[in-house]
Amino acid sequence: MHQALRPPPQAPIDEAVAAHVERALTDYLASRHADMAEAAPSFGSAVASLSGFVLGGGKRIRPTFAWWGWRGSGGSGDGPDARAVLRGVSALELIQACALVHDDLMDASAMRRGKPTVHVEFAARHREQGWLGEPDRFGAAAAILLGDLALAWADDMFATSGLDAGRLAAALPPWQAMRAEMLAGQYLDVLTQAKGDETEATALSVARMKTAAYTVERPLHLGAALAGAPAPTVAALREFGADIGLAFQLRDDLLGMYGDTAETGKPAGDDLREGKRTLLMSIGMAADPVKAELLRSALGDDDLTEQTLSDVRQVLVEVGAVAEVERRIDALTEAALAALLRADLAAPADRVLADLAVAAGRRTR
């Protein structure tokens, strides 16, 4: 299995949240892999691939926001409660793994984090072994099942984290809402592509449901609920999270069009090939009826050439779509920071979350 970076033994969680999350995931997945390898050896190698996917990259954004939601709402940074919360919020990465594995399959993406996606990996395994049937169908089946397993294990890891019954009960509403909203956002994404809906309102709705809610808003809500935060604090944190989550997705849209593949781990232009009507594309198509035809013709083009991608990039700059998305990222960040002040969080969470908000809009991968 992947050997995750472990934090120094005495490093406080506050100083190395992502590394502590990595260790919690490594330990949990090692235990589950051992159980599955013993019960069903043939499935053990598949589980090892899922573990490698979960531990093979990622910024651990969701657990980080959940942790600071806990700390800012009065939760301790050390002790048994803190360690149970850390294990509990680490389970968010398994929900993320489910979303990514299934999303890559639905979008027919070939790469994730610079490596073959799960369905591509298992289709290749089928071909190499000369098994019966269609390799691509086998790869799809494996991705569906492993994504489902990740979601099931997220529930298991959270439930067995060591949180007491009262905290588990308090966390249940945001946990359930987060799972449902993530799946609803995935459906809205594919529905929008199928209907060819180009409106800004729909693009924003997909971005809020698919990314903003379960990336920032609900993790913060989860952390606050675990700490027993009062309703005004929860409301302000959710407002902050919704705006930062949307800014995060809008930056992702720009990186999907203009980012460096070496940094993002995905080929530039993948959103175009997949036919995604992002806010960037919606603004571009509404800005110039003539140039919109080039943008529409590129959407969903599996054989997208470098020249066409370059032309699309140029058009989006010329019609002001890129500048408008950048403006909205700045406005969302400003509104989020105002909401954060209203949350009146304890230090150092107030400062850390402000820094995370700014970083979410400026990231390069």
Side-chain angles (χ1 to χ4, degrees), residues 117 130 149 161 176 255 264 269 287 328 353:
T117 49
L149 182 63
S161 61
Q176 290 177 330
L255 290 173
T264 65
R328 295 198 191 192
L353 285 173

Side-chain angles (χ1 to χ4, degrees), residues 85-363:
V85 168
L86 188 281
R87 286 191 295 271
V89 301
S90 296
L92 294 172
E93 286 299 297
L94 294 172
I95 297 180
Q96 167 71 342
C98 166
L100 294 181
V101 171
H102 286 173
D103 194 50
D104 287 340
L105 173 61
M106 290 185 287
D107 292 339
S109 298
M111 289 177 60
R112 167 74 64 180
R113 299 168 181 164
K115 300 176 182 178
T117 49
V118 171
H119 64 280
V120 170
E121 174 193 345
F122 277 83
R125 186 178 299 188
H126 184 288
R127 291 188 185 93
E128 291 166 1
Q129 297 298 323
W131 292 334
L132 302 176
E134 294 294 326
D136 289 344
R137 186 170 181 178
F138 176 80
I144 291 169
L145 293 169
L146 290 174
D148 288 351
L149 182 63
L151 187 58
W153 279 359
D155 285 340
D156 293 348
M157 186 177 184
F158 190 73
T160 61
S161 61
L163 292 164
D164 61 46
R167 285 203 170 95
L168 286 173
L172 192 59
W175 182 267
Q176 290 177 330
M178 178 173 48
R179 290 180 310 174
E181 288 163 355
M182 182 266 289
L183 294 170
Q186 294 277 42
Y187 177 74
L188 286 177
D189 188 21
V190 296
L191 179 65
T192 298
Q193 294 179 56
K195 294 172 67 175
D197 191 333
E198 299 176 359
T199 63
E200 286 189 28
T202 297
L204 284 169
S205 178
V206 171
R208 286 190 183 278
M209 289 293 289
K210 185 179 178 183
T211 301
Y214 100 101
T215 298
V216 187
E217 179 188 351
R218 292 299 187 183
L220 284 167
H221 186 185
L222 181 69
L226 287 168
T233 297
V234 172
L237 271 175
R238 288 189 61 189
E239 184 179 340
F240 166 82
D243 285 342
I244 287 305
L246 184 54
F248 182 93
Q249 180 58 52
L250 297 187
R251 176 60 62 197
D252 204 54
D253 294 343
L254 288 170
L255 290 173
M257 187 68 68
Y258 297 96
D260 182 350
T261 299
E263 289 196 58
T264 65
K266 293 192 71 175
D270 253 16
D271 285 349
L272 272 180
R273 295 181 185 89
E274 294 159 9
K276 291 188 182 296
R277 287 156 176 81
T278 62
L279 182 66
L280 176 66
M281 291 295 289
S282 293
I283 293 172
M285 288 185 286
D288 188 314
V290 175
K291 293 179 178 178
E293 290 309 308
L294 168 65
L295 302 183
R296 289 192 186 97
S297 67
L299 279 166
D301 182 359
D302 290 333
D303 300 318
L304 187 71
T305 65
E306 286 299 319
Q307 183 58 55
T308 300
L309 175 59
S310 177
D311 292 343
V312 167
R313 287 168 163 167
Q314 183 177 344
V315 165
L316 290 171
V317 172
E318 289 175 354
V319 301
V322 172
E324 175 60 15
V325 172
E326 292 282 8
R327 186 194 69 77
R328 295 198 191 192
I329 290 172
D330 290 342
L332 286 163
T333 303
E334 184 177 347
L337 292 174
L340 186 63
L341 289 176
R342 293 196 301 275
D344 193 24
L345 301 181
D350 52 352
R351 174 186 54 78
V352 173
L353 285 173
D355 290 344
L356 287 172
V358 173
R362 294 179 178 173
R363 64 195 177 89

